[in-house]
Amino acid sequence: MTAMQPHELVELALGLSRADGCVVIADEESTANLRWAGNALTTNGVTRGRRLTVIATVAGAEGTASGVVSREAVTPDDVAGLVRAAEDAARAAGPAEDARPLVAAAEQKASPDFTEPPAETSIAVFEEFAPALGAAFARAAAQGELLYGFARHELVSSYLGTSTGLRLRHDQPTGTVDLNAKTADLSGSAWAGAATRDFSDVDVTALHAGLTTRLGWGARRIDLPAGRYETLLPPSAVADLMVYLSWSTGGRDAFEGRTVFSRPGGGTRIGDELSALPLTLRSDPAEPGLEAAPFVLAHATEDESSVFDNGLPLSATEWIRRGELAGLVTSRHSAGLTGLALRPAVDNLVLETADQETAPTLDEMIARTERGLLLTCLWYIRGVDPATLLLTGLTRDGVYLVENGRVVGAVNNFRFNESPVELLGRITEVGRTERCLPREWSDWFTRTAMPPVRVEGFNMSSVSQAS
């Protein structure tokens, strides 16, 4: 057989299905990347990939079972085997507790481009970025700096078809830049990152200028002990904390008493005040610049997602509204179990104050700081206690002391212990929200917009020798 388009693979699999229900997802992925070290490009490349996921559902006397099989690099000759394997898995499984009727075609408008070829990226996406990076290399060399980093652009076209008639498609571009600047003797280091859809909005000159400033701050080294410090967190560091918080907003886990969002004695904390400030944490598949899939794409059933929900429409959702917990992530199954509203996860996250016009910039927040730390990015974040959402991690590539409105030097690294939920209650100032890249979690989550924040008593639990 000749090469098939993704939508043809979907139709082929659905046509071969003998199960009571069938969901097929074809993902076509293309990536382009650049890597550099010591002020010179080292590698570049382009890759292509295809994955086909078949979900078979089989009704039985005790309930409906599901079987899921997913394979990479699938050819048309592989499809029949994949469908049979999914059906065998469904027949061997017991009734699925998350079983629900598959989403009907009447619940979703078909994608008009469902039969169009997949979108693709190429090395051309770096047409403007690469020359700007070359200019940064030259400036870095002249200034005695070394630049290291990685840029990646990915375009995934997902085609979803079901035996109930859904025909949906979503093209998801994802771009990231990680840029490290080091002093010539490698004793100083600073990091900056950016998230983008197409690299046309990445300002390499500004990223490099910011790193040069930070390396300059590092000319003076200051040793500080562990302790609680007033701390300014830039948007990237806030994103790393809020992404972890969002991953912990499972409605069922909260309802069953297993998370920080569980109410003592039973139920959830929806309606509780988490911050005295009018902070809103929200997701919206149509958020400008952060657009994400407008329907559920579930390749497997997990805690708060269900393969039976594939194709459900997604909409703007508030998780925290003006400081109060407003929503928890649910599938149709967990919403039914808990009585919570149906709130499937959306692949972007925005934290903001009500009044963006008067919100300060990070530089303005530094200027009004009498004494505190500027913590530029977090690293190696791990969970300690889900009941409080206590996290631990390290600072990396830049902790600075601010005195009398200006940065006076670089501080040693720390291990920190903080709960992002408790931290929300100790935020005393919130800046202007901007698009940013979470450094720690950028392999999994990139579409974020966050403000810089000022936190009272950020817990630097011990001094770290990491550098």
Side-chain angles (χ1 to χ4, degrees):
M1 297 179 71
T2 58
M4 275 187 168
Q5 292 296 315
H7 75 278
E8 294 175 315
L9 284 176
V10 171
E11 300 295 356
L12 176 61
L14 289 171
L16 290 167
S17 172
R18 301 170 188 162
D20 297 303
C22 187
V23 178
V24 183
I25 305 171
D27 296 301
E28 290 279 329
E29 176 187 295
S30 57
T31 66
N33 64 77
L34 299 176
R35 188 181 294 276
W36 56 92
N39 299 334
L41 285 175
T42 56
T43 59
N44 65 80
V46 175
T47 65
R48 297 282 186 274
R50 166 178 287 182
R51 177 173 60 162
L52 192 70
T53 301
V54 177
I55 301 156
T57 68
V58 176
E62 298 180 354
T64 299
S66 64
V68 182
V69 177
S70 187
R71 299 263 171 80
E72 305 282 345
V74 171
T75 69
D77 292 336
D78 301 325
V79 175
L82 200 61
V83 173
R84 296 287 91 79
E87 292 171 350
D88 289 344
R91 294 189 182 98
E97 69 165 358
D98 60 320
R100 292 289 186 280
L102 296 182
V103 178
E107 298 178 60
Q108 269 282 21
K109 183 180 178 182
S111 300
D113 56 352
F114 184 75
T115 59
E116 297 297 318
E120 290 187 357
T121 189
S122 72
I123 207 72
V125 75
F126 302 123
E127 185 176 6
E128 296 179 7
F129 175 82
L133 187 63
F137 292 161
R139 285 194 302 275
Q143 295 168 179
E145 301 168 357
L146 297 170
L147 295 182
Y148 298 80
F150 187 69
R152 185 174 189 273
H153 190 246
E154 173 187 279
L155 227 168
V156 178
S157 294
S158 297
Y159 298 74
L160 170 67
T162 70
S163 55
T164 54
L166 287 183
R167 296 295 185 271
L168 301 174
R169 169 185 172 156
H170 178 69
D171 295 329
Q172 185 64 68
T174 303
T176 60
V177 180
D178 278 271
L179 183 62
N180 268 89
K182 296 180 183 294
T183 55
D185 62 0
L186 303 181
S187 63
S189 178
W191 174 88
T196 178
R197 287 174 62 85
D198 59 11
F199 278 82
S200 65
D201 55 353
V202 177
D203 189 340
V204 178
T205 301
L207 288 175
H208 181 210
L211 295 179
T212 296
T213 297
R214 292 181 183 181
L215 288 181
W217 291 341
R220 180 188 176 197
R221 299 302 179 99
I222 301 168
D223 290 329
L224 289 179
R228 288 185 174 271
Y229 293 89
E230 178 180 296
T231 300
L232 297 173
L233 296 170
S236 173
V238 176
D240 270 320
L241 296 172
M242 290 301 111
V243 167
Y244 203 105
L245 182 151
S246 74
W247 285 341
S248 306
T249 55
R252 182 176 181 178
D253 285 344
F255 185 79
E256 294 178 351
R258 294 195 291 267
T259 78
V260 68
F261 301 113
S262 304
R263 186 179 300 284
T268 73
R269 294 178 60 192
I270 285 183
D272 280 12
E273 182 181 280
L274 303 181
S275 173
L277 300 178
L279 279 167
T280 294
L281 183 69
R282 61 181 179 82
S283 301
D284 184 351
E287 183 71 17
L290 301 175
E291 292 88 346
F295 54 86
V296 171
L297 271 170
H299 296 79
T301 289
E302 298 176 344
D303 289 346
E304 295 297 350
S305 68
S306 166
V307 293
F308 292 91
D309 289 352
N310 268 303
L312 273 181
L314 300 175
S315 58
T317 304
E318 291 179 325
W319 309 109
I320 298 172
R321 180 187 306 121
R322 299 184 69 83
E324 290 186 359
L325 182 64
L328 295 168
V329 178
T330 54
S331 63
R332 286 184 295 176
H333 170 62
S334 60
L337 281 178
T338 60
L340 296 170
L342 176 60
R343 298 275 190 271
V346 179
D347 194 20
N348 60 30
L349 199 60
V350 177
L351 181 69
E352 61 191 3
T353 56
D355 188 355
Q356 287 293 295
E357 292 297 324
T358 61
T361 65
L362 178 60
D363 286 344
E364 290 169 339
M365 294 169 70
I366 292 172
R368 62 180 68 165
T369 301
E370 182 175 343
R371 190 174 193 273
L373 298 181
L374 171 62
L375 175 54
T376 55
C377 60
L378 308 175
W379 189 250
Y380 208 74
I381 302 169
R382 296 294 182 268
V384 176
D385 179 13
T388 59
L389 202 60
L390 179 65
L391 307 179
T392 189
L394 301 172
T395 66
R396 179 168 172 170
D397 292 327
V399 185
Y400 306 97
L401 179 63
V402 182
E403 289 183 329
N404 302 317
R406 66 184 187 89
V407 179
V408 297
V411 176
N412 46 273
N413 278 308
F414 294 97
R415 173 168 290 282
F416 69 88
N417 288 311
E418 271 291 353
S419 163
V421 174
E422 293 181 8
L423 181 142
L424 285 171
R426 286 187 278 113
I427 292 176
T428 57
E429 187 177 17
V430 183
R432 197 167 305 161
T433 293
E434 60 184 63
R435 188 171 184 183
C436 59
L437 179 70
R439 184 182 190 185
E440 170 78 327
W441 307 123
S442 60
D443 284 348
W444 297 275
F445 204 107
T446 63
R447 282 170 278 282
T448 60
M450 299 283 152
V453 301
R454 185 189 305 276
V455 181
E456 287 294 336
F458 193 93
N459 184 16
M460 303 297 188
S461 55
S462 63
V463 171
S464 168
Q465 299 305 314
S467 61

